[in-house]
Amino acid sequence: MSTYWPKISVKRLTSFCDQLSMKIDFANLQLQYQKYKVDIDTNIQAVLNKSNYIMGEEVHELERRLEDFTGAKHAITCSSGTDALLLAMMAMDIQPDDEIITTPFTFIATAETIALMKAKPVFVDIEPDTFNIDSSLIEAAITDKTKVIMPVSLYGQPADMDTIQAIADKHNLKVIIDGAQSFGSTYNDKTDSNLGDISTTSFFPAKPLGCYGDGGAVFTNNDEYAKTIKMMRVHGQNKRYHHKYIGMGGRLDTIQVAVLLAKLPHYPQELADRQQIAKRYTDTLPVRLQMPVIRSNRSSAWAQYTVRVNNRDALQAKLKDNGIPTAVHYPMPLHLQECFQYLNHNQGDFPISEKASNEVMSLPMNSFLTNDQVDYVASKVQENI
Ligand SMILES: Cc1ncc(COP(=O)(O)O)c(C=O)c1O
């Protein structure tokens, strides 16, 4: 009996074998669950046994632990990173036509929530290397309607907070940090949850610290804001069925809290692993790429490891063929989005953001990537740029 062997080049065979051995997951939530399964299952079961699904005592326990972790005086959990931003602006009593300065190179929720408050998002372009708001352009955007500066800690790295805070102090403005992507990052050794007047985060599953549904938190050192936010997340209620403010249903449910309580003790190690993985990417990726730049007084939580490339579509397709998922955060800056047409912006208004939108590409990033996987990604990038 004769056996038929199809003709296949050594190169293709090697690539095929590589792919078989390298299954690369972008965020790898399944492996994460398997690692912490016992604690997560035990915590969830305890909530099921008690049926204390809304504002169970675990919520307060998590909030105390988040305060310890971040150094912020108050941590107030809530239903999402989006609602965290709304709660922050509600606590500051943002009014229609107030102006809030932010970046157009971010996830929609940053500016969407400003618009939901009927305030006006005022965009300021970004730094080309960190992708964060360019603090040198902020003062020119301030008017007598400006109330808040809202930097975003994009991809996990805080913005230029010293300068931003100094501008805010000079013009009597408040600072809200959209820290949805940066839980655990630092700026001059403080976490970015412990900066600004209010800082927010998201516990969306794929965020650096994620729960297994929607979730978020608001952080502040201001007692008045904390008191108001706690009321706002329960329909502005100060006593059962007595409503001081127009608020919202913005609580984090106890089952999500159970997941976070199981995961939080592992988070310092996860952050350390992300630092290592990011460093290995930077050391092994071809120098022709523009690698992420982290300023010396900051650390990133590495929500994303995002590079700039010229041939993005082709490279993404090649990487996909090799079993490597990638993502684009974000393909269109907010000033060009249809929902913000009423702000009358045009192509060219924020050129650094527009260029970034055409070039950025995020590589797989999670705490469980092995050295071999990082090297495999780097080698496939090298082959295809
Ligand atoms: C910068 C930024 N802000 C806000 C949010 C909103 O968070 P959530 O999805 O938890 O509502 C996200 C989530 O992707 C984000 O990346």
Side-chain angles (χ1 to χ4, degrees):
M1 197 175 77
S2 71
T3 312
Y4 171 71
W5 285 97
K7 273 194 184 160
I8 180 165
S9 71
V10 173
K11 199 170 160 203
R12 278 193 60 200
L13 190 62
T14 316
S15 154
F16 181 64
C17 292
D18 276 355
Q19 277 183 55
L20 281 183
S21 56
M22 291 289 167
K23 188 184 169 303
I24 301 198
D25 211 301
F26 200 83
N28 218 346
L29 297 179
Q30 291 194 347
L31 180 57
Q32 185 193 62
Y33 171 60
Q34 290 308 323
K35 293 225 173 201
Y36 311 141
K37 182 175 169 33
V38 175
D39 291 348
I40 291 172
D41 290 0
T42 307
N43 282 4
I44 290 179
Q45 191 60 54
V47 176
L48 293 172
N49 290 344
K50 288 189 263 183
S51 306
N52 59 348
Y53 302 117
I54 303 293
M55 296 307 283
E57 64 268 24
E58 291 86 346
V59 176
H60 306 289
E61 186 189 339
L62 177 65
E63 290 177 346
R64 297 302 78 76
R65 289 222 225 153
L66 291 172
E67 287 159 5
D68 287 347
F69 185 90
T70 59
K73 186 169 179 198
H74 303 280
I76 303 140
T77 56
C78 64
S79 38
S80 68
T82 305
D83 290 344
L85 290 167
L86 284 173
L87 288 166
M89 285 183 274
M90 286 173 163
M92 289 183 179
D93 199 22
I94 293 303
Q95 295 295 315
D97 298 330
D98 284 349
E99 293 182 2
I100 298 190
I101 293 174
T102 192
T103 153
F105 192 63
T106 175
F107 181 61
I108 183 70
T110 311
E112 176 189 41
T113 49
I114 296 171
L116 275 172
M117 296 295 293
K118 303 267 181 264
K120 180 179 175 191
V122 175
F123 296 122
V124 163
D125 215 347
I126 55 168
E127 300 171 334
D129 55 352
T130 66
F131 303 104
N132 278 330
I133 192 166
D134 184 340
S135 58
S136 71
L137 304 175
I138 290 177
E139 274 197 288
I142 294 174
T143 71
D144 54 7
K145 292 184 175 174
T146 309
K147 292 284 159 30
V148 173
I149 306 173
M150 188 185 284
V152 178
S153 309
L154 204 76
Y155 305 148
Q157 175 178 207
D160 178 12
M161 290 311 301
D162 279 345
T163 311
I164 291 170
Q165 193 60 59
I167 295 170
D169 293 344
K170 180 173 158 196
H171 295 272
N172 201 18
L173 306 175
K174 301 293 179 202
V175 175
I176 298 175
I177 299 172
D178 181 348
Q181 304 184 4
S182 58
F183 184 74
S185 67
T186 57
Y187 183 98
N188 289 342
D189 297 326
K190 273 188 169 187
T191 68
D192 88 333
S193 306
N194 193 10
L195 295 167
D197 294 282
I198 299 182
S199 184
T200 65
T201 200
S202 164
F203 298 131
F204 181 83
K207 289 287 189 277
L209 178 65
C211 54
Y212 291 164
D214 276 310
V218 190
F219 304 91
T220 184
N221 291 318
N222 180 308
D223 296 343
E224 276 308 305
Y225 287 153
K227 205 169 134 197
T228 312
I229 291 164
K230 281 182 195 162
M231 285 188 246
M232 289 300 188
R233 80 171 161 184
V234 200
H235 306 285
Q237 173 175 284
N238 51 0
K239 211 167 81 182
R240 197 164 171 80
Y241 301 131
H242 289 73
H243 303 273
K244 185 174 164 77
Y245 302 112
I246 302 291
M248 64 195 284
R251 296 158 300 216
L252 181 64
D253 71 74
T254 320
I255 288 192
Q256 297 308 331
V257 169
V259 174
L260 288 167
L261 278 171
K263 287 178 63 176
L264 190 57
H266 301 281
Y267 192 59
Q269 185 58 51
E270 286 208 9
L271 271 177
D273 292 342
R274 281 174 182 268
Q275 304 292 350
Q276 276 305 108
I277 290 160
K279 182 172 181 314
R280 195 170 182 96
Y281 265 139
T282 303
D283 291 346
T284 51
L285 281 165
V287 285
R288 266 175 55 207
L289 291 181
Q290 189 188 307
M291 251 65 101
V293 172
I294 307 298
R295 299 265 190 263
S296 58
N297 63 342
R298 306 173 211 178
S299 72
S300 175
W302 294 109
Q304 307 299 341
Y305 187 95
T306 304
V307 296
R308 269 183 195 264
V309 285
N310 297 323
N311 60 337
R312 185 172 68 195
D313 290 351
L315 181 57
Q316 281 195 290
K318 289 280 184 196
L319 293 177
K320 190 171 175 217
D321 287 348
N322 283 284
I324 300 169
T326 57
V328 175
H329 305 100
Y330 298 91
M332 188 190 283
L334 299 191
H335 65 286
L336 300 179
Q337 297 284 349
E338 196 176 341
C339 64
F340 286 127
Q341 263 177 12
Y342 70 93
L343 294 172
N344 293 322
H345 285 300
N346 295 308
Q347 189 93 30
D349 282 359
F350 303 103
I352 316 278
S353 298
E354 290 166 24
K355 189 163 189 301
S357 291
N358 291 328
E359 295 178 356
V360 291
M361 185 186 77
S362 303
L363 295 171
M365 174 46 94
N366 61 75
S367 318
F368 309 107
L369 285 173
T370 62
N371 286 345
D372 285 351
Q373 288 176 320
V374 172
D375 296 351
Y376 174 74
V377 173
S379 71
K380 293 298 162 196
V381 171
Q382 170 78 53
E383 271 171 35
N384 292 293
I385 55 167

